Amino acid sequence: MPSFGTVEDLPPEQRLLVRLDLNAPVEEGVVKDNRRFSRHAETVERLLDDGHALALLAHQGRPGRDTFVSLGQHAEILADHLDREVEFVADTFGEEALEAIDDLAGGEVLLLENVRMCDEELPEKTPEEHAESELVRTLAPEFDAYVNDAYSAAHRAHASIVGFPLVMDAYAGPVMETEYTANSAIREREFDRVTMVLGGTKAEDLIPVIERLEGVDRFCLGGIVGELFLRAAGHDVGYDVESDLFDDQWDENREEIKETLETHGDRLVLASDLAYEDAAGERAEVAVDGVEKETSFLDVGSDTVATYADHVSESDAVFVKGALGVFEDEPFSDGTVGVLRAIADTDCFSVVGGGDTSRAIPMYDLPEDAFSHVSIAGGAYVAALTGEELVAIEVLERDG
């Protein structure tokens, strides 16, 4: 059991610095609502009801990417969930931010600017080094305590995650506590037959999962990751056509992918068909055998969905990390939603992980209570599954 303090241990009416993870999809500059907002809104509401004054820290994207935007829209989305005003401050720890923090009263909440716009945030350093950063040293004296609710960033040794607990009282928020307890408990349980559905965009994140989780009987692959494994198996897919998502990953991970396929091939289930958008703008499918890639594939095909659903129905436990296709576009939701529906219809222990993937559940009216746990975390979820220590938990426990 974790040995960190939680918000239940806080005295009332404190001025709190609260780290959330509001990282969300961004399409043409527009920030999209996702489950992280609703989950963290519950934390904010709970703290405000206890009379605390809250300044929120969060991030969005990374420098150089289209998703690296200001948090002004995030404040509006969060305010809609809370049904109360969330003041946005276009500053993180400068004079404007400090003035707004000083004016905070109990029951009020403000959101500071994207913390990744601060040069000190992103470098992976030790907690001790981050504790000496100007960001931490400037903000810490302004608050009574620090609350980390950003479980999905718990594997990141970034300043706003690991620096504050070393210089001030620190507590885990409800999302941090719930996610850590649920995801860590997965490793403690034993099941007769386990299936894991792996998709998404990052092969380097999922290769360790395949290598380390010996208790998983079948890994069903899809998404960009699945195409890269199909390429390793000799099929004419898994390279860039109208995108830049494949070739760099292939160059960086080809040996690991090929070795994983050779070593664990008896546990890997690859797609037998793939879906794409035809000239008429409709969903079309093609068998993997003999395919020549001329357009982007956007989902696994119907035969693959049926195969994966069969594996799910025969399982005592099913874990999901990453989408099998571009489920946001309804014609290409068959893979992701088909597997989720099969899980919902199966009497099994199930965990759906990944902030983006979990959006498919409300988007397609799937009953959330049909899943044992729906995680908003991606990388931290994988870390928990594979037994990797979470640095945010380590510093919270050190403080506790």
Side-chain angles (χ1 to χ4, degrees), residues 4 49 57-59 68 119 121 141 152 160 171-172 185 208 222 234 240-241 259 264 271 292 306 324 355 363 392 399:
F4 47 68
D49 287 346
L57 271 179
H59 72 273
F68 186 60
D119 292 339
E121 169 67 3
S152 45
S160 65
Y171 303 84
D240 289 329
V241 173
E259 183 177 344
H264 302 280
E292 293 182 9
L324 298 181
M363 186 177 293
D399 180 73

Side-chain angles (χ1 to χ4, degrees), residues 157-171:
H158 295 164
S160 65
I161 298 294
V162 302
F164 290 104
L166 270 63
V167 298
M168 58 194 300
D169 291 339
Y171 303 84

Side-chain angles (χ1 to χ4, degrees), residues 187-244:
R187 300 196 311 273
E188 313 297 326
R189 303 187 60 163
E190 294 184 1
F191 304 95
D192 291 334
R193 184 176 177 84
V194 179
T195 294
M196 188 161 195
V197 181
L198 295 178
T201 61
K202 298 178 182 178
E204 64 270 22
D205 287 351
L206 300 187
I207 291 171
V209 176
I210 298 170
E211 293 176 341
R212 297 179 192 176
L213 293 186
E214 297 179 357
V216 175
D217 299 285
R218 290 288 182 271
F219 292 98
C220 298
L221 305 188
I224 291 171
V225 175
E227 267 200 62
L228 290 170
F229 272 86
L230 284 170
R231 179 174 177 174
H235 298 286
D236 187 31
V237 297
Y239 55 85
D240 289 329
V241 173
E242 302 173 350
S243 74
D244 56 357

Side-chain angles (χ1 to χ4, degrees), residues 111-379:
L111 176 63
L112 299 172
E113 182 58 284
N114 188 345
V115 70
R116 287 187 175 175
M117 292 183 177
C118 304
D119 292 339
E120 296 176 314
E121 169 67 3
L122 280 173
E124 294 273 345
K125 296 182 179 180
T126 66
E128 289 76 13
E129 289 173 314
H130 276 312
E132 295 298 325
S133 66
E134 186 179 2
L135 168 69
V136 172
R137 287 297 177 182
T138 301
L139 286 180
E142 304 297 319
F143 298 93
D144 298 308
Y146 166 82
V147 174
N148 191 346
D149 208 38
Y151 176 81
S152 45
H155 58 309
R156 303 293 190 188
H158 295 164
S160 65
I161 298 294
V162 302
F164 290 104
L166 270 63
V167 298
M168 58 194 300
D169 291 339
Y171 303 84
V175 171
M176 176 71 78
E177 181 184 10
T178 300
E179 290 274 2
Y180 176 75
T181 301
N183 293 335
S184 299
I186 294 170
R187 300 196 311 273
E188 313 297 326
R189 303 187 60 163
E190 294 184 1
F191 304 95
D192 291 334
R193 184 176 177 84
V194 179
T195 294
M196 188 161 195
V197 181
L198 295 178
T201 61
K202 298 178 182 178
E204 64 270 22
D205 287 351
L206 300 187
I207 291 171
V209 176
I210 298 170
E211 293 176 341
R212 297 179 192 176
L213 293 186
E214 297 179 357
V216 175
D217 299 285
R218 290 288 182 271
F219 292 98
C220 298
L221 305 188
I224 291 171
V225 175
E227 267 200 62
L228 290 170
F229 272 86
L230 284 170
R231 179 174 177 174
H235 298 286
D236 187 31
V237 297
Y239 55 85
D240 289 329
V241 173
E242 302 173 350
S243 74
D244 56 357
L245 300 172
F246 293 92
D247 289 340
D248 286 346
Q249 284 204 67
W250 177 255
D251 291 341
E252 294 173 5
N253 301 287
R254 74 172 77 189
E255 296 306 322
E256 290 84 354
I257 293 172
K258 289 180 178 179
E259 183 177 344
T260 301
L261 185 61
E262 181 178 350
T263 305
H264 302 280
D266 60 332
R267 296 194 295 150
L268 302 182
V269 186
L270 305 184
S272 60
D273 55 351
L274 297 169
Y276 62 96
E277 185 176 61
D278 65 16
E282 302 293 332
R283 178 185 174 106
E285 299 185 354
V286 62
V288 167
D289 289 339
V291 67
E292 293 182 9
K293 185 171 183 178
E294 297 177 346
T295 186
S296 296
F297 292 113
L298 303 177
D299 195 12
V300 295
S302 302
D303 289 345
T304 301
V305 177
T307 298
Y308 289 4
D310 286 343
H311 283 295
V312 166
S313 67
E314 297 168 357
S315 299
D316 299 303
V318 182
F319 305 111
V320 178
K321 170 61 177 77
L324 298 181
V326 186
F327 68 84
E328 296 89 345
D329 189 358
E330 194 275 335
F332 301 102
S333 65
D334 292 12
T336 301
V337 177
V339 166
L340 290 175
R341 285 200 175 116
I343 295 171
D345 292 338
T346 301
D347 183 15
C348 65
F349 178 82
S350 58
V351 179
V352 179
D356 286 344
T357 309
S358 63
R359 287 191 300 134
I361 294 174
M363 186 177 293
Y364 291 94
D365 297 322
L366 299 173
E368 184 168 334
D369 58 6
F371 306 93
S372 304
H373 179 60
V374 178
S375 175
I376 60 173

